[in-house]
Amino acid sequence: MPAPASDTVADTAAFEADRKAILGMLGEYRVQFDFRETVILAPAYERKPDQHSGGNEVVILVEDSGDRIVLQHLLVSRDGHVTKHWRQDWQYQAGERFEFSDEQTWRLRAVPAERIAGSWTQCVFEVSDAPRYCGTGRWNHRYGVSTWTSDRGWRPLPRREYSKREDYNALNVENRHTVVPGGWTHEQDNTKTVRTADGMRTLVREFGFNDYRRTDAVDFGPAYRYWEATRGYWARVRAEWNRRLAAGGVRLDTAVDGMPVIEATFRQADRVARGESVSDGEIAAIFDRYVQVLPPEDARLGRR
């Protein structure tokens, strides 16, 4: 496993502790997802009911090249059905990241210079490997607990609200990951916001708490078998996304929840899992239909 040159690592001991924390999120878990609206910010707004769900999830290592770590989440239902879930990419001292800038639009943007040294940028991707959001921050290992806290950034509506809400169009979010005994947690400080050409209006704050508890009581064999069968396909899908994002940014030409891309890629992955072949041209056809590449002069934004 290659490691960054010593002169590019802000603190070698901290770097290794950071890597250990990120890799500590690998494994098999029972997960509880809880979201609660808290502080009302808009006149006459009424809190929506709390949202609770859960599942069985395994986190698999896709890539570890030293200063870059990629983790893939897979859900397994009680009957053994596997659903490819979200992906998290961690990059040490990243110089740029994508940001959710407008409806169905993500643009590459430089990370502010003062935030780069010693930081890790986490980018989160949709089940189809479409972009969702990135955050940059440093790990804190004091008191024997490892916690990473992001800067604030933008993300689209979560899937749990795509089909239910039309009163806001973006979340302003700070994320916190903590590796704890028996698992890890993901806390979200969310502000539900209406963004328009004329400005922004905030509705309500929301606290999200995702609790990953290790388990040996679930058979995750179907997830491992699915990933072994389809990982080559999904690597090609990631490469197609990366190629188009690297041009400066992308805009999706789909319904707000991106289901056409999800359904198309999942159908192809199912074919691959059955032993059929899917050509690069078939993958590219999905992107040609639904993913618009933004030109660099339109997409690349300067440091904030």
Side-chain angles (χ1 to χ4, degrees):
M1 177 196 68
S6 59
D7 60 353
T8 67
V9 176
D11 182 311
T12 301
F15 173 74
E16 293 302 334
D18 295 350
R19 282 181 35 79
K20 181 179 178 181
I22 296 169
L23 294 171
M25 289 186 279
L26 295 169
E28 301 172 350
Y29 302 94
R30 294 294 299 271
V31 190
Q32 186 69 37
F33 306 102
D34 297 301
F35 294 89
R36 180 184 183 186
E37 294 189 346
T38 56
V39 181
I40 294 175
L41 303 171
Y45 182 86
E46 295 185 5
R47 290 188 188 93
K48 303 302 185 288
D50 297 354
Q51 298 184 46
H52 307 284
S53 62
N56 305 316
E57 189 153 305
V58 60
V59 185
I60 294 175
L61 181 66
V62 174
E63 177 185 340
D64 180 2
S65 54
D67 59 354
R68 177 176 169 79
I69 301 173
V70 177
L71 310 179
Q72 177 64 57
H73 294 235
L74 300 166
L75 287 167
V76 179
S77 65
R78 291 181 179 179
D79 63 2
H81 178 75
V82 178
T83 302
K84 180 176 174 291
H85 206 197
W86 62 293
R87 185 181 106 234
Q88 46 175 323
D89 291 12
W90 293 84
Q91 180 66 54
Y92 184 66
Q93 299 187 155
E96 66 179 5
R97 67 189 188 186
F98 64 77
E99 294 188 0
F100 175 62
S101 61
D102 201 353
E103 190 71 27
Q104 297 287 77
T105 303
W106 291 261
R107 304 177 189 271
L108 284 184
R109 191 168 207 169
V111 176
E114 66 275 10
R115 297 183 193 172
I116 294 177
S119 72
W120 288 82
T121 291
Q122 181 211 46
C123 290
V124 169
F125 298 82
E126 179 62 86
V127 298
S128 63
D129 289 314
R132 281 196 59 75
Y133 65 88
C134 293
T136 299
R138 296 178 178 86
W139 283 90
N140 180 341
H141 305 288
R142 289 193 293 271
Y143 315 117
V145 176
S146 297
T147 296
W148 173 87
T149 304
S150 76
D151 55 359
R152 297 201 70 87
W154 293 102
R155 56 185 282 191
L157 270 64
R159 184 158 301 280
R160 58 189 163 84
E161 296 204 319
Y162 275 160
S163 60
K164 302 176 182 178
R165 303 285 295 268
E166 295 182 350
D167 57 334
Y168 77 102
N169 58 14
L171 283 173
N172 186 256
V173 179
E174 178 182 291
N175 290 284
R176 183 161 58 245
H177 287 245
T178 303
V179 180
V180 299
W184 58 280
T185 63
H186 176 198
E187 299 167 82
Q188 301 177 39
D189 177 1
N190 301 330
T191 300
K192 297 180 179 180
T193 305
V194 180
R195 299 197 303 184
T196 68
D198 298 325
M200 294 185 292
R201 182 169 62 91
T202 56
L203 300 183
V204 64
R205 290 179 188 151
E206 175 187 72
F207 178 70
F209 182 64
N210 301 336
D211 193 16
Y212 290 76
R213 308 301 298 175
R214 293 190 183 276
T215 181
D216 57 8
V218 177
D219 178 13
F220 284 96
Y224 294 114
R225 290 190 289 274
Y226 171 86
W227 190 247
E228 182 63 27
T230 63
R231 63 181 181 179
Y233 167 78
W234 288 113
R236 289 189 287 155
V237 171
R238 292 195 304 274
E240 194 68 26
W241 279 114
N242 290 341
R243 183 176 69 81
R244 294 177 187 240
L245 272 170
V250 295
R251 181 178 293 117
L252 301 189
D253 180 19
T254 73
V256 67
D257 60 0
M259 281 305 297
V261 178
I262 294 171
E263 292 172 348
T265 54
F266 273 39
R267 282 196 298 267
Q268 290 185 347
D270 286 344
R271 287 171 50 194
V272 172
R274 294 194 299 267
E276 302 176 21
S277 62
V278 171
S279 69
D280 291 343
E282 289 177 280
I283 295 173
I286 296 174
F287 285 80
D288 291 342
R289 168 63 183 84
Y290 296 114
V291 183
Q292 176 188 353
V293 176
L294 301 177
E297 62 272 16
D298 180 38
R300 290 188 182 273
L301 305 175
R303 296 187 187 275
R304 289 176 296 175

